[in-house]
Amino acid sequence: MNKKIAKADINQWLAQLLKDYAVYAPTRVANYVAYRQIASPDDIVWDCLVTREPPKGVFFPQTETLFQYVRTASDLQLRPLDTVEGERILWGVRPCDVQALLVQDAVFNTPDVRDVYYANKRDKTTIIGIGCNRPLSTCFCTSVGGGPFKKEGVDVFLTDLGDAYLAEALTQKGKKLLQASWFHPASDKDLEAARAIEETALKHLPPPMNMEAIKQRLDAMINNPFWDEVQATCLGCGVCTFLCPVCHCFDIVDEGTSSCGQRVRNWDTCQYCIYTLEASGHNPRPSGKERTRQRLMHKFDYYLVNQGVIGCVGCGRCVQLCPVNLDIRQILVQLGAA
């Protein structure tokens, strides 16, 4: 179902959505843009293509209390905190970040493993995605199975036509949203304009790399000196993993006393030296070499074997934000992708 809404009407639609949903959208946080719950359509930052923080925190918060406990003289009471009250909307998500959520689904929400904290938020959330008319120079989504107008995983997909948005409902949730009075049927001219915009966007992206060649090289490179060279400038700060929309390492800590407290889940990273430190004192990844290798192997080899997908969506955040300018695209080229 394709409809169209004038940009002059978009804030009225958002104001209506805010009455019925908790809306999460790109908004300014200090001096950067991230997904947060908004109170007004005016809170949205419209011209940000890649937010500094990905939307994974809407489903997998950086810090999350899982349950609280109280011990009495005769009992131990647990208070679970997995309930999500009310329906939510994730607004303005780019295709690469939606693709990342699908990868996270394969970790947290499968027929065999259902993380209720993550899954309950996913069940309660309607996703409104938007295409990327002009990808950034750091984007490489087409190399990892994505695209600037890939629609998989969204309920409503928006295409910026200039003075209006083409709105495509892809699920029943999406069709419900497009019943609002501000939407009108899209014309053949609108659909043709959307196709032209997508073709132009694809021309701004680099030629896709050969990911199968990368996997084959990685399979034979466990002890290759290449990893010494790659990790030489890495600071081990972990920014590439914390701001990656796919990475999901976490740690569990219990905070409190023997009588009361809480269990908390915090983001963690395989780039930290103590992440794999075992109670015996043994650390299977004692240096930056092993940790850098793990990051690349996990994303471009292990994920393919275990999940059938690549653990990178080509958003380019790690390229933009690495303090020593380590560029994962250059590493992939060195691995033989070109």
Side-chain angles (χ1 to χ4, degrees), residues 99 103 106-107 143-146 150 209-219 246 248 294-313 332 335 337:
Q99 185 179 344
V103 177
V107 176
S143 289
V144 287
K150 189 173 182 178
M209 292 180 278
N210 186 344
M211 289 298 154
E212 180 56 33
I214 288 176
K215 183 186 180 307
Q216 291 177 4
R217 287 292 307 277
L218 287 170
D219 284 338
V246 173
H248 53 268
Q294 164 64 20
R295 177 173 169 245
L296 271 292
M297 297 286 277
H298 192 194
K299 287 184 173 298
F300 300 100
D301 193 335
Y302 306 152
Y303 251 112
L304 276 169
V305 173
N306 296 321
Q307 310 289 356
V309 296
I310 297 172
C312 170
V313 294
L332 295 177
L335 278 167

Side-chain angles (χ1 to χ4, degrees), residues 27 44 60 109 112 120 123 126 160 186 195 202 210 252 255 278 285 292 296 322 337:
T27 191
I44 295 178
F60 172 45
N109 193 14
D112 298 324
N120 288 352
D123 292 345
T126 300
D160 187 345
R195 282 192 288 270
L202 287 168
N210 186 344
I252 298 286
E255 300 175 342
E278 299 170 3
R285 299 178 202 145
T292 299
L296 271 292
C322 175

Side-chain angles (χ1 to χ4, degrees), residues 228-250:
D228 292 303
E229 179 183 344
V230 169
Q231 67 86 36
T233 57
C234 177
L235 302 177
C237 67
V239 68
C240 55
T241 52
F242 283 121
L243 300 182
C244 172
V246 173
C247 286
H248 53 268
C249 291
F250 61 83

Side-chain angles (χ1 to χ4, degrees), residues 188-207:
D188 290 341
K189 185 178 178 181
D190 295 326
L191 299 179
E192 181 58 34
R195 282 192 288 270
I197 289 169
E198 180 175 356
E199 291 174 3
T200 301
L202 287 168
K203 292 177 183 176
H204 284 92
L205 288 162

